């Protein structure tokens, strides 16, 4: 068997991520702007909408 095919067969299967519709994105932006204006926008709230893996110091040491 071709080594690349073997790797592809062993790779975990996952659903491709889909973006919210344009109307859903606009609603999210409006909600976040309102929270920001009230001074209630926190990193935790942002993380709910923008889940990005953060590199920590241990990742840089490897």
């Amino acid at each position: 068997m071709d080594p690349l095919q073997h790797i592809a067969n062993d790779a975990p299967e996952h659903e491709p991520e889909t973006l919210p519709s344009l109307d859903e994105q606009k609603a999210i932006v409006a909600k976040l702007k309102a929270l920001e204006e009230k001074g209630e926008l926190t990193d935790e709230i942002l993380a709910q909408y923008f889940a990005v893996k953060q590199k920590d110091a241990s990742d840089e040491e490897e």
Side-chain angles (χ1 to χ4, degrees):
M1 178 184 285
D2 178 28
L4 293 177
Q5 184 63 43
H6 181 70
I7 292 170
N9 289 341
D10 288 343
E13 300 217 5
H14 63 281
E15 297 283 325
E17 292 185 32
T18 58
L19 294 175
S21 71
L22 188 55
D23 288 336
E24 291 170 325
Q25 291 178 43
K26 288 178 181 180
I28 291 168
V29 169
K31 180 178 181 178
L32 295 176
K33 282 185 177 184
L35 288 170
E36 182 180 32
E37 287 174 4
K38 292 191 280 183
E40 298 175 359
L41 186 60
T42 64
D43 290 340
E44 290 79 18
I45 293 172
L46 286 172
Q48 293 173 8
Y49 295 99
F50 304 100
V52 177
K53 182 179 183 239
Q54 300 291 323
K55 288 182 86 175
D56 59 36
S58 63
D59 289 341
E60 295 174 5
E61 294 173 3
E62 293 177 9

